[in-house]
Amino acid sequence: ISNGRGEYFHIDITVLTDDYLDEISALISDAISEKKFISGNELIEAISIKHPYIIENNSTISELGLRNAIGYKLKTKFSFEGNIISKLDEHFSMMDVFAEFCKKRSSFTLDELRVLKQEISPIIYFEAVYENSLRISQTNFVSKEQAMFDTTATDLAIDRFCTGEYISIKKIDQFGSFPDAGFQWNCYLLEHYAAMYSPNYKLIHCTFNEMSCVGAIVKKTSYIETFDDLIIDALANSYIELDKESALQFLCDEGYLARRRYSGIEEVLIKANELRNQKGN
């Protein structure tokens, strides 16, 4: 069983008697009845409060190790998906937890998502958040039911900026021509609109970010389908030297990347150079 940090132990060194496992199962069942799941962190905290002797009798292993051992012992009674424990037939994932969090709230903040992240996950699952809520600013989210987009007028407003195949989200920073959407227009609302609501545009990016909007709004008729397609085209049509440092700086400056780091940059540069040569730039 993994104890973290590349350490492992044999299950036989744990002290998890049938009585202990019954007590732990009761804690899990109570939590599932209340909110469909319990995180591993919450379970260990509940055990330490209600049955501290279980922690004391397994003091030679870490909290992670104990969670993993419990998962092994109770795998026929509950579903253990990462750090989430749920009913055996439900297989509740961390993505599901973030989705449920959003569905149950008319509004919430980025700080609340960060608290949830600290409890269950190393990251915020923004894909689930954007699927089940509407981001209206850097720090605020509301329920999907509050979305009131005039898609025809909004796409026409984007058309005024996007005269080619695509435009960086960063380049749309004036919203006077955008129709009323119930909330003040900003890059986060625009990002969400392009990702989920626009009939004529799509969002192509690496990922949603906590503190920035990066990527491009791309016409759905465009040949550009992936983020690699996007940055290859952007680099090929730029006037920079196609070396790693210059390319990463350009992609950050133009708003395609949040940081000067991209794992596939070498391959992207080869293709960008080929495309530039084909175009005779």
Side-chain angles (χ1 to χ4, degrees), residues 120-136:
I120 68 165
S121 166
I123 62 170
I124 295 173
Y125 282 75
F126 274 113
E127 290 293 338
V129 173
Y130 275 65
E131 284 284 351
N132 295 281
S133 67
L134 176 67
R135 191 171 193 174
I136 59 171

Side-chain angles (χ1 to χ4, degrees), residues 61-115:
I61 60 177
S62 67
E63 289 188 359
L64 173 63
L66 182 57
R67 295 204 310 263
N68 290 339
I70 291 169
Y72 176 81
K73 289 284 191 177
L74 297 179
K75 62 185 177 183
T76 60
K77 294 188 68 173
F78 303 100
S79 168
F80 292 81
E81 294 278 341
N83 197 32
I84 302 301
I85 308 163
S86 59
K87 285 184 178 179
L88 188 61
D89 57 348
E90 287 196 350
H91 302 288
F92 224 64
S93 68
M94 285 187 276
M95 186 83 78
D96 295 325
V97 172
F98 278 93
E100 283 293 311
F101 176 91
C102 298
K103 290 175 183 177
K104 291 179 177 178
R105 290 162 172 79
S106 61
S107 65
F108 56 91
T109 66
L110 182 59
D111 283 342
E112 290 176 87
L113 288 175
R114 287 169 174 160
V115 170

Side-chain angles (χ1 to χ4, degrees), residues 1-3 7-16 58 60-61 65-66 68-70 72-73:
I1 307 294
S2 172
N3 201 43
E7 297 177 0
Y8 298 86
F9 60 89
H10 195 277
I11 191 65
D12 287 349
I13 75 165
T14 59
V15 182
L16 291 170
N58 289 280
T60 58
I61 60 177
L66 182 57
N68 290 339
I70 291 169
Y72 176 81
K73 289 284 191 177

Side-chain angles (χ1 to χ4, degrees), residues 36-276:
K36 297 185 179 182
F37 73 94
I38 184 172
S39 71
N41 306 49
E42 290 172 319
L43 177 59
I44 295 299
E45 183 178 358
I47 293 171
S48 67
I49 293 171
K50 294 190 175 182
H51 310 294
Y53 43 86
I54 296 178
I55 304 291
E56 294 165 6
N57 289 334
N58 289 280
S59 60
T60 58
I61 60 177
S62 67
E63 289 188 359
L64 173 63
L66 182 57
R67 295 204 310 263
N68 290 339
I70 291 169
Y72 176 81
K73 289 284 191 177
L74 297 179
K75 62 185 177 183
T76 60
K77 294 188 68 173
F78 303 100
S79 168
F80 292 81
E81 294 278 341
N83 197 32
I84 302 301
I85 308 163
S86 59
K87 285 184 178 179
L88 188 61
D89 57 348
E90 287 196 350
H91 302 288
F92 224 64
S93 68
M94 285 187 276
M95 186 83 78
D96 295 325
V97 172
F98 278 93
E100 283 293 311
F101 176 91
C102 298
K103 290 175 183 177
K104 291 179 177 178
R105 290 162 172 79
S106 61
S107 65
F108 56 91
T109 66
L110 182 59
D111 283 342
E112 290 176 87
L113 288 175
R114 287 169 174 160
V115 170
L116 181 61
K117 177 183 75 170
Q118 290 172 355
E119 292 176 351
I120 68 165
S121 166
I123 62 170
I124 295 173
Y125 282 75
F126 274 113
E127 290 293 338
V129 173
Y130 275 65
E131 284 284 351
N132 295 281
S133 67
L134 176 67
R135 191 171 193 174
I136 59 171
S137 70
Q138 185 181 78
T139 58
N140 293 287
F141 300 77
V142 298
S143 62
K144 287 184 71 174
E145 290 73 23
Q146 298 182 57
M148 299 186 301
F149 293 114
D150 180 338
T151 57
T152 300
T154 304
D155 276 7
L156 284 172
I158 296 174
D159 288 343
R160 296 186 180 95
F161 291 89
C162 187
T163 55
E165 295 286 302
Y166 58 87
I167 185 171
S168 165
I169 295 176
K170 180 180 179 179
K171 295 296 179 66
I172 302 180
D173 56 2
Q174 300 294 324
F175 296 99
S177 62
F178 280 68
D180 178 41
F183 303 98
Q184 184 174 348
W185 279 101
N186 54 65
C187 66
Y188 294 96
L189 188 61
L190 176 63
E191 175 189 51
H192 205 149
Y193 172 80
M196 304 290 177
Y197 296 94
S198 173
N200 299 312
Y201 288 95
K202 57 190 174 183
L203 176 70
I204 293 186
H205 63 168
C206 275
T207 185
F208 295 111
N209 284 273
E210 286 191 33
M211 301 300 291
S212 62
C213 295
V214 291
I217 297 173
V218 182
K219 290 179 178 175
K220 286 185 176 179
T221 55
S222 173
Y223 76 93
I224 294 172
E225 296 289 341
T226 68
F227 187 67
D228 276 2
D229 291 341
L230 172 66
I231 60 176
I232 287 167
D233 191 85
L235 288 168
N237 287 290
S238 71
Y239 295 97
I240 66 165
E241 293 293 327
L242 292 180
D243 59 77
K244 182 177 178 180
E245 290 303 315
S246 300
L248 289 173
Q249 188 63 56
F250 169 81
L251 293 172
C252 284
D253 291 343
E254 293 296 300
Y256 298 111
L257 292 175
R259 298 178 181 176
R260 295 194 311 117
R261 185 172 65 218
Y262 188 64
S263 60
I265 191 63
E266 288 83 4
E267 185 176 351
V268 163
L269 282 170
I270 292 171
K271 293 180 179 178
N273 198 47
E274 291 173 353
L275 183 59
R276 179 180 283 185

